[in-house]
Amino acid sequence: MGKRLLYLEVRALALWSIKAQNAGKKCSSSVLGGVGSGVSELILQPPPLLFSYRPYVLTPLVLFISSSHWSNEWEVWFPGASTSSTMTRLSRLDKSSQVETSRPVRRKQKEFLAPTSEPTVLTVEDVSDTSITLKWRPPERIGAGGLDGYIVEYCKEGSSDWVPALQGLTERTSCLIRDLPTGERLSFRVKAINLAGASEPCTMKEPVTIREIMQRPKIWLPRFLRQKLVKRVGETVNIVIPFQGKPRPVVTWLKDGQPIDPKQVGIRNSEADTILFIRSAERRHSGEYQVKIQIENCEDAATICIQIVDKPSAPQNLKIVEIWGFNVALEWSPPQDDGNTEISGYTIQKADKKTMEWFTVYEHYRRLHCVVSDLIMGNEYYFRAFSENMCGLSEKPANAKDSAKILKSGISYKPPNYKEHEFGEAPKFTHPLANRSVVAGYNATLSCALRGSPKPKITWYKNKMDLSGEARYRNFSKQGVLTLEVRKPSPFDGGVYTCRAVNEHGEAETECRLEVRVPQ
């Protein structure tokens, strides 16, 4: 009979106990290591090197078993705790795991068996006078040992004795703990359990008072505070934020993530609202203010953005770029301080050297360069510029270092010669006559639009016959619109009507058909 191999490998950092159950039969084959026949339990002690807390693979333990005594299946058990009642099944090896011993056995790298990482984000979902509901997230790393469940424990504030909150393990990531002492402040923690034991605990940051929250905290932020609040330097800031919560919430204010200095900003709290008060606003009061109300582990927060603005500083580097004729080109740079708000424009002024009276040339001007025109020949001018934002003009202007003198020129002005334009135009109908159908006995009109220069002579025709002397027809012209009125037409007045326009540059005509219907 050929011999077969069964591989059992130790990968833990503690004492292993391996039971070999042989379907009611005893092993009569020889066992490697001098273990005699009839042995049903092997105790294996790992080498001390395993206690260095790093992955290490042992040489496999090889059992030589006679094929005549090969059982249907082998089971390997691992004690997960100090008592045999909590043994956990590690693996099952059946006949599909048998291999021949015709070639040497190779060592294979195995995954190290270790506890999971700690659970995360342990929070309170609800609390009453005698119970609390907790929830958490699974560990980020589970590993080869899997995850059997969680242990939830609690201890009183000031004590170090942790008491199990549930009987046994729970597989869910939330639990309801009942029969807790009312009014006690308790700390809670959760551990993950697998084959290798318990993970590090995930503990709540602060103890929880076991009492019912009658009304959850809620901030009612006014609508005007949902956008940026803009105030000018020196103005008063008075913000009232109502809230709800029972028992009375604890109110906390932060500015840009840091506690507020009570010497700079006044805070007043009541049972129903909180007030932020600044007597005289300054630029340093700008920023994001966060208010948070808290009842035990329940809280609500809101953020308010306050912007304190002031007048800007003067523009920089105002200079004269070019002088030509009666014009001066100026250029400047934006101010160094915009007053904590957007620059809306610039005001440019000029002054004659003789009088030094300042006159505004441009106001609310958005560009960084301009041309000052219509200056007087022979005079000398100075220029200055102000910055402007929502608070007004800058306190001081920026003055150009140099002056601009408009020199006299001895060259006389000669107007250019232009070729006289010919405005004559042949007649042209821009809107021709349109066919019409009218009722007998009611006045009818035919209209068209004409363009031409000089004014064309207009003649109307009916069926190629001139209507100039007919009393029943009246024609008139107004602003290029020609109209022929037919007074109380009869079926005899139906036909083709033509309008002809003639001037010295040419002629044009348009025609239409008029139908006169007799009412039934």
Side-chain angles (χ1 to χ4, degrees):
M1 289 288 182
K3 294 184 179 180
R4 301 177 183 273
L5 296 181
L6 176 66
Y7 294 94
L8 304 175
E9 191 166 342
V10 180
R11 292 179 297 174
L13 299 181
L15 185 65
W16 281 52
S17 175
I18 301 179
K19 285 186 177 181
Q21 299 178 356
N22 195 4
K25 300 178 183 180
K26 292 185 178 181
C27 298
S28 58
S29 60
S30 62
V31 180
L32 184 66
V35 182
S37 62
V39 175
S40 61
E41 182 173 358
L42 299 177
I43 306 298
L44 303 180
Q45 175 69 42
L49 183 58
L50 281 179
F51 289 94
S52 63
Y53 293 95
R54 63 182 180 87
Y56 183 77
V57 179
L58 293 176
T59 303
L61 168 67
V62 182
L63 298 180
F64 294 87
I65 304 173
S66 173
S67 61
S68 61
H69 294 283
W70 187 272
S71 64
N72 291 331
E73 64 181 17
W74 287 74
E75 293 183 352
V76 181
W77 299 79
F78 169 73
S82 58
T83 61
S84 60
S85 62
T86 59
M87 286 185 178
T88 306
R89 182 178 301 232
L90 179 63
S91 63
R92 177 185 294 272
L93 305 175
D94 53 23
K95 284 187 177 182
S96 63
S97 302
Q98 301 169 21
V99 296
E100 295 292 340
T101 60
S102 58
R103 48 189 169 184
V105 179
R106 292 184 180 180
R107 297 178 60 186
K108 298 183 179 180
Q109 181 72 25
K110 298 294 183 179
E111 188 175 357
F112 180 61
L113 194 66
T116 69
S117 60
E118 70 275 6
T120 59
V121 194
L122 176 60
T123 57
V124 176
E125 192 172 28
D126 194 15
V127 64
S128 67
D129 289 340
T130 58
S131 64
I132 188 172
T133 302
L134 304 176
K135 64 178 181 179
W136 60 90
R137 292 182 182 176
E140 296 181 356
R141 177 183 56 80
I142 295 179
L147 178 61
D148 295 334
Y150 302 93
I151 292 178
V152 183
E153 298 175 325
Y154 69 88
C155 78
K156 295 183 179 180
E157 186 179 21
S159 174
S160 60
D161 297 332
W162 291 92
V163 180
L166 303 173
Q167 293 183 357
L169 303 180
T170 177
E171 296 181 355
R172 302 177 60 184
T173 56
S174 63
C175 70
L176 172 62
I177 305 174
R178 304 178 186 273
D179 301 327
L180 296 174
T182 303
E184 286 285 353
R185 287 179 61 82
L186 303 179
S187 297
F188 294 87
R189 71 180 185 183
V190 179
K191 296 180 182 180
I193 306 298
N194 70 354
L195 292 173
S199 69
E200 292 292 328
C202 175
T203 308
M204 297 194 66
K205 295 181 179 180
E206 297 180 359
V208 181
T209 303
I210 306 302
R211 62 177 178 179
E212 184 175 2
I213 298 177
M214 304 299 295
Q215 189 178 45
R216 287 185 172 272
K218 176 67 177 177
I219 294 176
W220 302 104
L221 191 65
R223 186 180 298 274
F224 76 96
L225 293 178
R226 297 176 187 175
Q227 56 188 1
K228 185 179 294 184
L229 178 64
V230 180
K231 292 286 186 178
R232 298 186 180 186
V233 170
E235 291 184 344
T236 300
V237 179
N238 190 14
I239 299 175
V240 180
I241 301 179
F243 58 79
Q244 68 178 27
K246 192 174 183 181
R248 180 174 176 174
V250 177
V251 181
T252 306
W253 280 89
L254 300 175
K255 178 180 180 293
D256 298 329
Q258 301 296 326
I260 290 181
D261 185 0
K263 296 181 180 179
Q264 297 184 11
V265 180
I267 302 295
R268 301 173 187 173
N269 300 323
S270 67
E271 294 184 356
D273 57 35
T274 178
I275 300 175
L276 182 143
F277 181 76
I278 303 175
R279 187 177 302 277
S280 180
E282 300 179 8
R283 291 273 292 275
R284 56 190 174 92
H285 292 138
S286 300
E288 285 192 355
Y289 291 77
Q290 184 183 40
V291 57
K292 180 173 68 173
I293 61 175
Q294 184 175 8
I295 304 177
E296 299 299 338
N297 291 83
C298 299
E299 64 179 34
D300 192 18
T303 301
I304 305 167
C305 187
I306 300 179
Q307 181 180 1
I308 309 300
V309 300
D310 196 4
K311 292 181 179 181
S313 61
Q316 302 182 86
N317 304 323
L318 177 62
K319 59 183 178 180
I320 298 173
V321 179
E322 187 179 359
I323 303 174
W324 75 98
F326 306 102
N327 310 297
V328 175
L330 301 177
E331 189 177 73
W332 61 92
S333 302
Q336 186 175 3
D337 181 14
D338 59 2
N340 202 27
T341 186
E342 181 184 3
I343 296 296
S344 59
Y346 300 92
T347 297
I348 313 302
Q349 295 181 343
K350 67 176 180 180
D352 192 338
K353 185 178 180 180
K354 298 176 181 178
T355 61
M356 288 306 295
E357 294 184 6
W358 293 97
F359 297 92
T360 300
V361 181
Y362 292 102
E363 200 171 10
H364 313 303
Y365 191 76
R366 300 300 297 268
R367 299 179 181 179
L368 297 176
H369 53 82
C370 70
V371 175
V372 181
S373 303
D374 300 329
L375 300 177
I376 299 175
M377 181 181 299
N379 289 0
E380 189 174 354
Y381 293 91
Y382 291 95
F383 300 92
R384 68 181 184 182
F386 293 86
S387 303
E388 183 179 5
N389 63 7
M390 61 179 298
C391 295
L393 296 178
S394 56
E395 295 289 347
K396 297 181 179 180
N399 294 280
K401 295 181 179 180
D402 302 325
S403 61
K405 187 172 183 179
I406 309 302
L407 300 176
K408 296 181 179 179
S409 59
I411 303 176
S412 60
Y413 174 72
K414 293 182 179 180
N417 295 324
Y418 296 101
K419 184 179 179 181
E420 186 176 353
H421 183 70
E422 179 60 49
F423 294 98
E425 183 181 5
K428 181 181 178 181
F429 286 96
T430 58
H431 189 80
L433 294 172
N435 296 333
R436 292 203 59 189
S437 177
V438 299
V439 179
Y442 294 91
N443 291 351
T445 58
L446 302 176
S447 300
C448 59
L450 176 68
R451 184 178 67 190
S453 181
K455 184 177 181 180
K457 180 181 178 182
I458 308 301
T459 308
W460 289 88
Y461 298 90
K462 174 194 171 186
N463 297 331
K464 306 298 182 181
M465 296 186 63
D466 190 356
L467 300 178
S468 299
E470 297 289 337
R472 298 187 59 218
Y473 300 94
R474 185 177 65 162
N475 67 83
F476 49 89
S477 173
K478 184 177 181 181
Q479 295 183 353
V481 179
L482 309 179
T483 304
L484 176 67
E485 181 182 17
V486 183
R487 299 179 180 178
K488 297 182 179 181
S490 64
F492 172 77
D493 294 316
V496 177
Y497 286 79
T498 304
C499 179
R500 175 177 296 175
V502 180
N503 68 3
E504 60 186 29
H505 296 286
E507 65 178 30
E509 66 178 29
T510 180
E511 62 181 25
C512 70
R513 180 173 293 277
L514 177 66
E515 179 185 358
V516 181
R517 294 178 284 107
V518 178
Q520 300 294 332

